[in-house]
Amino acid sequence: MTRVITVASGKGGVGKTTITANLGVALSTYGEETIVLDADVAMANLELILGMEGKSITLHDVLSGAASIEDAIYEGPGGVKIIPAGISLEGLRKIRLDRLEEALEILVENTDILLIDAPAGLEKDALAAIAAAQELILVTTPEVPSISDALKTKIVANKLGVEIIGVVVNREQHDKTFLTVNEIESILEVPVIAVVPDDPEVSRAAAFGEPLIIKNPKSPTSNAIMQLGADLIGEQYHPIEPDKKGVISKLVEGLLGRRG
């Protein structure tokens, strides 16, 4: 049976789309037939992270009735399939969110896991993405405003009857000003299923339009997301340790060889 999992956050800017994109690739590398759907029809970013921008047919075309959902599916990195939202002012005027349900009925017949990248907040499009799922992952940073908005999203998901798998704490920095995992679990009353460290490699990968877990599989974030994917499907994962010699070489190069 196909699993439909929405990845949501109450607050924008917490790294939800980066988590979704890389998690989709991770699940695909484990052999799961995975489709990642960008449901953020107003502020699409998923395709940028996966290097899939500029596709001719997108979710906008599907929701406006101009194309079928099958025409908007593209092969992405690592074998994951991508449905980009696209960016079109004309498309925004014509979309009907009720067509999303029809599209999802087709998708669930042809994949093992459907990941939906929900828009941030609780507007109509975000609610549609949450309601479409059987399961939900909440992404938050360990800061009070982000946790507060995540709590609102959790309450709405509960009312819609969506099972919350757990919370992914993103951009963790071991800073005493941030909430701890225990505090987050106490506030949200949902288990933390992954802690993803703050990692400069995320921005570098985004600049190249390449998923981090492919560009730098040894990074802490890559290991955390691969472990999350493994946990979701009951697989084993052994973290890839950084090349210590490479780290030392970069440090020496930075100190001695790359000035001015």
Side-chain angles (χ1 to χ4, degrees):
M1 181 178 178
T2 299
R3 295 178 69 181
V4 182
I5 305 172
T6 289
V7 184
S9 66
K11 188 177 183 298
V14 300
K16 168 186 56 63
T17 298
T18 296
I19 296 293
T20 308
N22 282 277
L23 179 58
V25 177
L27 291 167
S28 181
T29 64
Y30 285 124
E32 297 290 321
E33 188 75 20
T34 305
I35 296 176
V36 182
L37 169 70
D38 188 352
D40 194 344
V41 293
M43 300 293 288
N45 285 308
L46 182 75
E47 51 260 48
L48 300 177
I49 296 171
L50 293 171
M52 303 288 291
E53 65 270 28
K55 298 301 181 182
S56 57
I57 299 176
T58 67
L59 187 63
H60 272 163
D61 300 298
V62 176
L63 297 185
S64 65
S68 68
I69 191 65
E70 293 97 334
D71 294 332
I73 302 174
Y74 300 90
E75 188 82 16
V80 69
K81 291 183 171 61
I82 311 297
I83 301 175
I87 301 174
S88 166
L89 292 177
E90 184 62 28
L92 277 174
R93 297 188 187 100
K94 295 180 179 180
I95 64 171
R96 282 174 36 195
L97 289 176
D98 60 292
R99 291 194 175 105
L100 180 61
E101 184 176 350
E102 300 171 12
L104 294 179
E105 288 176 358
I106 296 172
L107 292 177
V108 296
E109 295 177 358
N110 299 290
T111 192
D112 296 323
I113 298 176
L114 173 61
L115 276 185
I116 302 175
D117 183 32
L122 292 172
E123 298 297 328
K124 185 177 180 181
D125 52 351
L127 293 177
I130 294 171
Q134 303 156 343
E135 303 170 90
L136 183 128
I137 295 173
L138 275 172
V139 178
T140 182
T141 57
E143 301 161 285
V144 172
S146 181
I147 298 297
S148 175
D149 286 347
L151 179 59
K152 297 170 190 173
T153 303
K154 175 224 169 182
I155 292 170
V156 169
N158 285 340
K159 289 182 178 179
L160 291 172
V162 179
E163 177 189 352
I164 300 176
I165 301 172
V167 178
V168 173
V169 180
N170 196 27
R171 297 176 184 159
E172 201 276 334
Q173 299 182 35
H174 296 290
D175 190 312
K176 291 183 179 180
T177 62
F178 290 159
L179 295 170
T180 66
V181 167
N182 287 340
E183 288 170 333
I184 292 170
E185 289 182 330
S186 178
I187 293 169
L188 296 179
E189 297 182 325
V190 174
V192 170
I193 56 174
V195 177
V196 181
D198 194 36
D199 188 347
E201 292 299 322
V202 172
S203 297
R204 295 190 184 105
F208 285 92
E210 190 174 0
L212 179 63
I213 63 171
I214 291 178
K215 182 170 179 56
N216 190 343
K218 297 180 181 180
S219 78
T221 291
S222 293
N223 277 304
I225 294 175
M226 287 296 294
Q227 183 65 65
L228 171 61
D231 291 342
L232 287 176
I233 58 175
E235 287 283 342
Q236 292 291 321
Y237 175 68
H238 301 288
I240 303 174
E241 296 295 331
D243 184 346
K244 293 182 180 179
K245 183 177 179 181
V247 172
I248 293 171
S249 297
K250 289 180 182 179
L251 177 60
V252 172
E253 183 181 88
L255 291 174
L256 302 178
R258 299 291 185 185
R259 296 184 182 179

